[in-house]
């Protein structure tokens, strides 16, 4: 910036110097030839050097005025440089006017207007010769008037999709610096005909980056890991949280896209690369795997030490549920065999208030919220995590679901149906009692806010046990 200002100052001084030299030349010319020129036989021809010198002086004067006006005055008043096209038009118009005045002064007998208007051939020649130039010129004017983009914006233009940062718009072309540091000039008339994709500098422009993971990796975990990895990478805007979403379910991979917003869009190549690198490291740390073409092979292997079976893991989980603590190991194993596992994504509803349902669920891992509607909006009455259960009210009383249950993170639950519970209750009738206490407590908590209703539901609990027994056909 400082360098360009000093070069502008030097340019201004050079113009000043050249103007003084030409003015001096004119003075000398006038002193030595002025009188002879007026008296000479070929006056018109003799005037040519004087016209040229005056034209040169006019040109230098216009350039000087241009530099003074646009390099200094315009920047001081507006805070930015005047567009090149405006400067060029100024130079052209000012010089033409001055030249016509000089010409008229020397050759007052020549009618310039008539010369231009009557000369049809001159018009055709000028028209044909300047066809492209004029096209570019007027397209340049319309680009300046429309201001679809500015210096510093990234644009994609032309059929060859030239991409780069706009460096300037002249009366002939748009100058773009590509990401390989090449200069591309797209003529204004061509640019006016094409669609131009503009990524304004002041705008939060987004990019998409793709990756794929194995089907065995959890989507919720992948979203969390990738998003956190990207959000604090350099040049990723903190104003909008990056979005990680499934783009496709491919043949051997889950295909993902990351959408992120950039502070400086002109650096998108580097930022894309950094984002990919961050995702690689984050996936690696979290035990998630990039996909590659896969095939499922089932190998049978004789092992000496017996691995823990899924059934044993489930029995283990059930043994940690307080109401099942009276059950023997064998009963727990039986119950484990009868359960069905389900996995839910964050935000999914596991149970909807008012629905019919005849099974209960144990949270194997994850977290759910029990919600009731209040003034049309959900109110959370409880948060349940690993080892907690829900849905027992519907299962033991046969009544519609009293609340909705929503997963707040990826959650795995074990479903216990009516038949499996009936079998357990037949050998463990005490279980019905402990469950009836939980139901009474929860009903009371649901009725919280109305003391009467809470009291009534606790009193109901005695009747609850007998209705559970009746419902399951127990004595
Ligand atoms: P159910 O009525 O079958 O379905 C909704 C479930 O939400 C309900 O069974 C209970 O398991 C659970 N629930 C309702 N209220 C509470 C509460 N206050 N605390 C914990 N869980 C509850």
């Amino acid at each position: 910036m400082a360098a360009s200002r000093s070069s502008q100052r030097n340019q201004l001084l050079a113009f000043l110097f050249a103007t003084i030299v030409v003015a001096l030349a004119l003075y000398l010319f006038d002193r030595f030839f002025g009188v002879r020129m007026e008296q000479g036989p070929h006056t018109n021809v003799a005037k040519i050097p004087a016209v040229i010198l005056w034209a040169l002086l006019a040109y230098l004067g216009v350039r000087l005025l241009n530099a003074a006006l646009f390099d200094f005055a315009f920047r001081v008043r507006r805070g930015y440089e005047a567009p090149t096209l405006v400067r060029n038009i100024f130079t052209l118009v000012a010089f033409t006017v001055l030249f016509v005045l000089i010409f008229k002064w020397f050759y007052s007998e020549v009618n310039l207007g008539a010369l231009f208007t009557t000369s049809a051939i001159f018009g055709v020649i000028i028209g044909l010769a300047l066809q492209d130039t004029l096209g570019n010129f007027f397209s340049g004017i319309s680009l300046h008037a429309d201001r679809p983009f500015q210096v510093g914006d990234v644009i994609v233009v032309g059929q060859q999709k030239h991409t780069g940062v706009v460096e300037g718009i002249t009366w002939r072309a748009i100058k773009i610096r590509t990401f390989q540091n090449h200069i591309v000039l797209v003529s204004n008339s061509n640019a006016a005909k094409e669609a131009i994709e503009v990524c304004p500098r002041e705008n939060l422009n987004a990019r998409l980056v793709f990756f794929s993971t194995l089907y065995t990796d959890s989507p919720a975990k992948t979203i969390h890991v990738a998003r956190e990895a990207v959000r604090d990478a350099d040049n990723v805007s903190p104003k909008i949280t990056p979005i990680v979403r499934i783009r496709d379910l491919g043949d051997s991979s889950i295909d993902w896209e990351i959408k992120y917003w950039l502070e400086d869009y002109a650096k998108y190549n580097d930022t894309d690369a950094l984002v990919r690198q961050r995702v690689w490291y984050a996936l690696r740390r979290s035990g998630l795997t990039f996909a590659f073409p896969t095939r499922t092979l089932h190998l049978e292997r004789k092992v000496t030490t017996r691995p823990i079976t899924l059934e044993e893991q489930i029995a283990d989980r059930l043994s940690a549920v307080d109401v099942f603590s009276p059950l023997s190991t064998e009963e727990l194993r039986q119950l484990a065999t009868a359960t069905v596992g389900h996995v839910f994504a964050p935000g999914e509803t596991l149970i909807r208030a008012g629905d019919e349902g005849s099974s209960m669920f144990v949270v194997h891992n994850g977290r759910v919220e029990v919600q009731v509607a209040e003034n049309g909006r959900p109110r959370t009455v409880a948060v349940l995590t690993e080892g907690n259960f829900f849905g027992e009210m519907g299962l033991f009383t046969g009544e519609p679901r009293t609340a909705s249950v929503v997963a707040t993170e990826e959650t795995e639950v074990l479903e216990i149906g009516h038949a499996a519970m009936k079998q357990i209750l037949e050998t463990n009738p005490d279980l019905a009692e402990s469950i009836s206490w939980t139901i009474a407590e929860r009903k009371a908590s649901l009725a919280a806010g109305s003391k009467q209703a809470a009291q009534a539901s606790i009193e109901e609990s005695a009747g609850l046990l007998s209705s559970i027994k009746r419902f399951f056909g127990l004595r």
Side-chain angles (χ1 to χ4, degrees), residues 351 370 381-382 384 390-394 400-403 405 442 445-446:
I351 278 183
V370 179
V381 292
L384 306 175
F390 59 90
E392 77 294 340
M393 295 191 186
R401 301 294 191 189
T402 53
V405 179
R442 286 181 172 181
S445 147
L446 280 180

Side-chain angles (χ1 to χ4, degrees), residues 68-117:
L69 260 181
F70 295 113
D71 285 341
F72 293 99
F74 197 92
R75 175 128 37 87
V76 170
R77 294 216 48 178
R78 299 276 184 99
Y80 60 91
E81 278 185 24
T84 326
L85 190 71
V86 174
R87 305 180 60 152
N88 291 348
I89 292 175
F90 172 81
T91 310
L92 200 73
V93 171
F95 179 69
T96 314
V97 169
L98 284 178
F99 183 77
V100 169
L101 290 177
I102 293 167
F103 194 84
K104 286 288 292 179
W105 187 33
F106 280 93
Y107 302 102
S108 50
E109 66 284 0
V110 179
N111 186 350
L112 266 184
L115 191 75
F116 279 103
T117 47

Side-chain angles (χ1 to χ4, degrees), residues 219-474:
K221 187 173 173 185
T222 311
I223 289 173
H224 176 73
V225 168
R227 192 174 49 210
E228 291 310 305
V230 173
R231 70 192 306 175
D232 56 24
D234 272 359
N235 200 26
V236 171
S237 170
K239 290 187 194 131
I240 307 180
T241 310
I243 295 171
V244 180
R245 56 191 172 201
I246 296 181
R247 191 167 57 98
D248 194 17
L249 296 174
D251 282 347
S252 48
S253 60
I254 301 182
D255 299 332
W256 296 89
E257 76 180 15
I258 302 174
K259 182 174 182 183
Y260 73 94
W261 285 261
L262 293 101
E263 300 259 87
D264 180 357
Y265 190 72
K267 293 189 188 143
Y268 71 74
N269 281 321
D270 290 341
T271 316
D272 277 2
L274 183 65
V275 161
R276 291 188 195 104
Q277 193 196 66
R278 288 287 167 89
V279 169
W280 189 92
Y281 281 107
L283 259 63
R284 174 91 174 228
R285 280 196 301 277
S286 314
L288 298 166
T289 325
F290 279 106
F292 39 85
T294 46
R295 194 163 284 189
T296 311
L297 282 182
H298 295 279
L299 291 179
E300 245 176 58
R301 201 157 57 117
K302 281 211 170 107
V303 281
T304 41
T305 50
R306 195 176 62 81
I308 301 170
T309 62
L310 182 63
E311 200 175 274
E312 281 166 335
Q313 282 177 34
I314 293 173
D316 203 34
R317 162 63 65 226
L318 295 177
S319 70
V321 179
D322 48 6
V323 287
F324 296 142
S325 56
L327 302 189
S328 68
T329 316
E330 182 51 27
E331 283 169 332
L332 282 171
R333 205 190 54 75
Q334 270 179 19
L335 190 58
T337 322
T339 64
V340 184
H342 305 282
V343 64
F344 289 88
E348 274 198 285
T349 301
L350 289 78
I351 278 183
R352 219 174 285 277
D355 281 1
E356 297 293 327
S358 57
S359 52
M360 65 179 275
F361 302 84
V362 172
V363 180
H364 192 31
N365 51 54
R367 192 181 140 95
V368 296
E369 278 183 8
V370 179
Q371 298 173 345
V372 288
E374 204 171 77
N375 302 327
R377 307 184 64 164
R379 176 172 69 89
T380 301
V381 292
V383 175
L384 306 175
T385 56
E386 289 162 14
N388 295 148
F389 60 87
F390 59 90
E392 77 294 340
M393 295 191 186
L395 170 62
F396 285 90
T397 63
E399 286 168 10
R401 301 294 191 189
T402 53
S404 294
V405 179
V406 179
T408 53
E409 56 188 61
E410 190 178 81
T411 301
E412 237 182 306
V413 293
L414 306 168
E415 183 179 10
I416 304 170
H418 186 275
M421 189 50 76
K422 185 170 166 41
Q423 209 178 357
I424 295 294
L425 282 177
E426 271 161 5
T427 45
N428 289 275
D430 294 347
L431 202 68
E433 194 174 346
S434 51
I435 293 266
S436 74
W437 278 111
T438 308
I439 294 179
E441 268 170 29
R442 286 181 172 181
K443 275 197 167 174
S445 147
L446 280 180
S450 148
K451 274 197 174 157
Q452 268 179 336
Q455 189 55 39
S457 66
I458 289 173
E459 282 160 11
E460 249 178 43
S461 64
L464 200 60
L465 179 58
S466 41
S467 67
I468 289 176
K469 285 187 169 170
R470 234 177 297 122
F471 186 59
F472 275 89
L474 306 171

Side-chain angles (χ1 to χ4, degrees), residues 138-157:
F138 286 112
S139 304
I141 290 180
S142 84
L143 279 176
H144 270 279
D146 274 3
R147 290 198 154 268
F149 50 81
Q150 296 187 12
V151 170
D153 291 351
V154 172
I155 61 167
V156 184
V157 64

